Amino acid sequence: MNLCMLTIQQAQALLREKKITAVELIRAVMDRIRSIENKVGAFITLVETSAMEQAREADRRIDSGDSSVLLGIPVAVKDILCTRGIRTTCGSGILKNFIPPYDATAIQRLREAGAVIIGKTNMDEFAMGSSTEYSAFKVTRNPWDLSRIPGGSSGGSAAAVAADMCLGALGSDTGGSVRQPASHCGVVGMKPTYGRVSRFGLVAFASSLDQVGVLAKSVYDSALLMRVISGHDPRDSTSAPVPVPDYTRDFKEGLKGVTIGVPVEYRSLEGMDADVSEAFSKSIQTMESLGARCVEVSLPHTPYAVAAYYVIAPSEASSNLARYDGVKYGFRDPEATDLSSMYCKTRSKGFGPEVQRRILIGTYCLSAGYYDAYYKKASQIRTLIIQDFKKAFETCQVLLSPVAPTPAFPIGEKVEDPLTMYLSDVFTLSANLSGIPGISIPCGFSKEGLPIGLQLMGNHFDETMLYRAAYHFEKATDFHLKKPQL
Ligand code: GLN
């Protein structure tokens, strides 16, 4: 077996038993990247030299008996997380030469656990998008079908994991950006509870929705990575001082006695692909065959989630992105003649069309005279959505839904039609609006052989329950074992 195809769990065992070395593992991953990166386009920046150095250091630590969880494990990182000394572009021309002087907390924790960072992955500019086509640098292709999108905005991370160009990856999820690409690429994607992972060093898009998440080849690997990056951080006041459990703790418990809610609103959705509906129905049966009790629940405000999100997220973005003014960070247009032309030219040339669209929408929604009609109304809907979930979790511990209404669509199909692109986020946005955790796991394939994902959502800080249900579903199925032919 080629070492790049290992899961983290397998590699960890082989490294500890000294059957392989970290250097061999990194070499296998780098060879894999060399042979297929020109087809997939998952990375913006690769750091091979420093990765080899870190691998040699990991081997020394293993020899001295160190058993840190991720020692020697090659991990890729979405280019939205600040990495000290490594260019961090956020998929944008405005940050194309930005080299952060510090590590994000999630990165620092990865490094402390011994992980080897191999590079920064492609993404939609400032994480705004669902296809990775809005990157200022390149198009990332879905490893299962190179003519299709990998999902977004963490498309590079999802494609890299699916194509064995790393053993696991970090992403970020503001409205579905970890779960949706995971679903389209046939890997496991976890967005934890808001506050579970520090946002320090995560480039801000919509601060009340943003969370760091993980992409992995198995539920176990996901739980392992997630535990490493979770926990309170004094540098992010929204990170929660809640103890971090071992998320694999309850794997030994089955699903007997677990109640799973299936929201009726999600079953009657217009525009849902037949293969997705079928895979979803079969997944409910699988959960029942494992002993779970599946019941109907209602999330009555679901039809308003897309509209509320696409007011709140751009509003926060318009404020967060004001800092890219050509003064403190990144690109400044050299043709500027005075202060106002500097702002105008820098931002017109530095930002791509989707980011400009969001800034305009957000600025409009927050402006005097419109604030009450848009931002305030959207915030009120957000409260109703939070209450929907609260009520649902009175009768069940897990909610089940599809991740996306269709499998991965062809490159170019929706790029000129932002509204259709926004509508494809219908299943994932609510978890961000309410702050609850959600995980996407492989649950089938379309007739064309494209992966389909199943979303499990849980109550605040109940990731352990989600991982338990996801683990048993994965054990009972083999979708996660199939590999794309490249
Ligand atoms: N697709 C959504 C958007 O464009 C979500 C993006 C994300 O989660 N970062 O805003």
Side-chain angles (χ1 to χ4, degrees):
M1 185 198 221
N2 190 327
L3 297 185
C4 68
M5 294 171 84
L6 296 171
T7 62
I8 295 176
Q9 187 179 18
Q10 291 164 336
Q12 196 186 44
L14 293 172
L15 284 165
R16 283 183 187 165
E17 291 159 16
K18 305 236 171 90
K19 294 204 169 114
I20 61 170
T21 65
V23 167
E24 285 164 1
L25 186 55
I26 298 296
R27 246 186 225 134
V29 164
M30 287 298 172
D31 286 345
R32 176 74 173 164
I33 293 174
R34 258 190 294 278
S35 72
I36 60 168
E37 172 62 1
N38 62 343
K39 288 191 209 160
V40 180
F43 288 89
I44 293 177
T45 305
L46 280 166
V47 287
E48 185 163 0
T49 315
S50 81
M52 282 316 277
E53 267 165 35
Q54 290 172 62
R56 277 191 286 271
E57 171 65 19
D59 280 331
R60 275 193 291 274
R61 281 168 65 182
I62 292 168
D63 281 340
S64 69
D66 188 337
S67 60
S68 302
V69 260
L70 296 178
L71 203 48
I73 303 293
V75 173
V77 175
K78 185 179 185 180
D79 212 15
I80 194 169
L81 283 152
C82 286
T83 38
R84 185 178 175 172
I86 305 173
R87 183 167 80 120
T88 299
T89 69
C90 213
S92 181
I94 214 156
L95 287 177
K96 68 170 181 265
N97 296 316
F98 176 60
I99 298 177
Y102 63 94
D103 274 334
T105 299
I107 300 294
Q108 192 189 332
R109 293 194 175 162
L110 274 188
R111 290 193 199 279
E112 282 163 8
V116 175
I117 290 167
I118 57 163
K120 307 294 295 285
T121 57
N122 196 25
M123 56 181 285
D124 287 297
E125 185 175 5
F126 283 100
M128 297 173 189
S130 312
S131 69
T132 311
E133 291 166 292
Y134 294 133
S135 164
F137 299 94
K138 53 164 79 170
V139 172
T140 298
R141 294 171 183 279
N142 191 313
W144 293 88
D145 176 348
L146 298 172
S147 72
R148 290 175 188 262
I149 57 111
S153 62
S154 312
S157 286
V161 174
D164 295 310
M165 297 154 100
C166 60
L167 270 60
L170 296 192
S172 70
D173 191 311
T174 303
S177 279
V178 164
R179 291 161 287 156
Q180 184 258 24
S183 164
H184 286 337
C185 291
V187 301
V188 176
M190 174 61 139
K191 179 205 89 81
T193 309
Y194 184 81
R196 187 55 112 172
V197 180
S198 170
R199 291 182 298 108
F200 179 78
L202 171 70
V203 178
F205 162 11
S207 308
S208 77
L209 304 161
D210 298 341
Q211 264 298 287
V212 180
V214 302
L215 296 112
K217 298 180 193 179
S218 72
V219 172
Y220 184 93
D221 283 8
S222 174
L224 212 64
L225 276 172
M226 190 44 91
R227 190 181 186 196
V228 167
I229 63 167
S230 293
H232 179 246
D233 173 15
R235 291 175 296 184
D236 169 12
S237 59
T238 65
S239 78
V242 174
V244 178
D246 174 355
Y247 299 124
T248 66
R249 187 187 63 195
D250 293 345
F251 282 8
K252 48 190 185 305
E253 317 278 340
L255 293 188
K256 284 224 171 57
V258 174
T259 307
I260 295 181
V262 182
V264 281
E265 290 78 9
Y266 288 169
R267 304 219 62 175
S268 51
L269 203 88
E270 245 177 80
M272 185 115 127
D273 180 271
D275 293 343
V276 173
S277 287
E278 199 188 316
F280 183 55
S281 299
K282 284 200 181 133
S283 302
I284 299 172
Q285 288 165 14
T286 304
M287 288 299 194
E288 279 175 334
S289 73
L290 290 168
R293 195 167 68 93
C294 292
V295 298
E296 269 192 0
V297 295
S298 176
L299 300 171
H301 297 92
T302 299
Y304 310 105
V306 174
Y309 172 89
Y310 278 98
V311 168
I312 293 171
S315 295
E316 292 187 25
S318 72
S319 161
N320 271 325
L321 270 58
R323 73 191 72 178
Y324 306 102
D325 55 6
V327 179
K328 293 189 285 296
Y329 303 93
F331 171 76
R332 175 191 296 179
D333 187 32
E335 282 166 27
T337 48
D338 57 15
L339 186 66
S340 100
S341 84
M342 182 187 78
Y343 290 158
C344 193
K345 284 179 193 286
T346 296
R347 289 167 68 82
S348 301
K349 290 184 190 170
F351 290 135
E354 179 61 19
V355 171
Q356 294 192 24
R357 194 149 45 228
R358 305 266 182 131
I359 292 173
L360 289 172
I361 295 171
T363 307
Y364 182 83
C365 292
L366 292 177
S367 57
Y370 294 104
Y371 179 92
D372 285 354
Y374 296 107
Y375 186 77
K376 196 170 154 203
K377 194 58 51 310
S379 301
Q380 287 165 335
I381 293 171
R382 183 177 190 172
T383 303
L384 295 173
I385 289 171
I386 294 171
Q387 287 167 355
D388 281 358
F389 280 114
K390 225 183 218 148
K391 190 135 184 277
F393 286 123
E394 283 170 8
T395 54
C396 63
Q397 292 116 300
V398 176
L399 289 170
L400 225 51
S401 83
V403 181
T406 66
F409 47 86
I411 290 170
E413 187 181 277
K414 296 187 182 174
V415 75
E416 300 297 339
D417 184 3
L419 201 59
T420 320
M421 187 92 90
Y422 299 169
L423 288 172
S424 68
D425 296 336
V426 57
F427 295 116
T428 49
L429 301 173
S430 297
N432 302 78
L433 289 168
S434 58
I436 60 172
I439 187 168
S440 167
I441 54 174
C443 77
F445 287 90
S446 70
K447 285 186 193 68
E448 296 116 325
L450 299 166
I452 296 173
L454 173 71
Q455 177 172 233
L456 288 74
M457 290 177 284
N459 219 338
H460 291 105
F461 298 104
D462 201 7
E463 284 85 359
T464 308
M465 181 73 241
L466 280 192
Y467 275 125
R468 171 179 160 193
Y471 174 76
H472 287 286
F473 183 91
E474 183 184 81
K475 227 173 83 180
T477 55
D478 62 359
F479 309 114
H480 64 292
L481 299 175
K482 301 222 161 66
K483 294 274 183 190
Q485 298 304 315
L486 275 151

